[in-house]
Amino acid sequence: MFDPFVQSEWQQLCAHLGKCAEGIARNSDEKADFVQETEKFSDQPAPERYRDLLVRTAEAARLAIRWQGTRDIDFAHDEAVIDEAGSESFPAGDPPTFSHAHA
């Protein structure tokens, strides 16, 4: 059964997954791997029913989460440095003292 809505949503899902693959990748090798996985995903026969589309949407989400998980490992150190710098910054770390001259 051909459902134009499901077909349209499938095409949008594949396009969005491709954008995620390009946006999440840190370098050209990783981008090539992610794009290849996206093409493999998109080459599947289009789902015929909405329920099947939802299953494929979950699969696409798992792919993107896995891709992003590889980034989280690399950014752990950078986030620690940013947190340390934020806690030591002035004046955000130390609010100015209140005096009646300011009132």
Side-chain angles (χ1 to χ4, degrees):
M1 177 177 85
F2 179 78
D3 184 344
F5 173 75
V6 172
Q7 298 300 314
S8 172
E9 292 295 310
W10 169 248
Q11 291 171 354
Q12 289 180 25
L13 175 63
C14 292
H16 186 70
L17 186 61
K19 289 178 185 177
C20 287
E22 293 178 6
I24 292 174
R26 294 168 296 179
N27 56 49
S28 60
D29 291 336
E30 198 170 68
K31 182 178 176 180
D33 291 342
F34 293 171
V35 168
Q36 184 179 18
E37 288 184 74
T38 300
E39 290 170 354
K40 182 179 177 183
F41 178 85
S42 300
D43 287 343
Q44 299 178 75
E48 293 182 10
R49 297 177 304 165
Y50 188 69
R51 177 178 292 166
D52 299 331
L53 176 66
L54 293 176
V55 170
R56 299 276 181 83
T57 302
E59 292 171 6
R62 282 190 289 272
L63 270 175
I65 289 168
R66 183 171 49 82
W67 296 337
Q68 193 167 13
T70 62
R71 291 184 65 171
D72 292 342
I73 294 167
D74 293 337
F75 290 123
H77 175 72
D78 294 340
E79 289 177 5
V81 171
I82 292 169
D83 289 342
E84 180 180 344
S87 66
E88 295 178 359
S89 67
F90 177 83
D94 301 318
T97 57
F98 178 80
S99 70
H100 295 287
H102 294 284

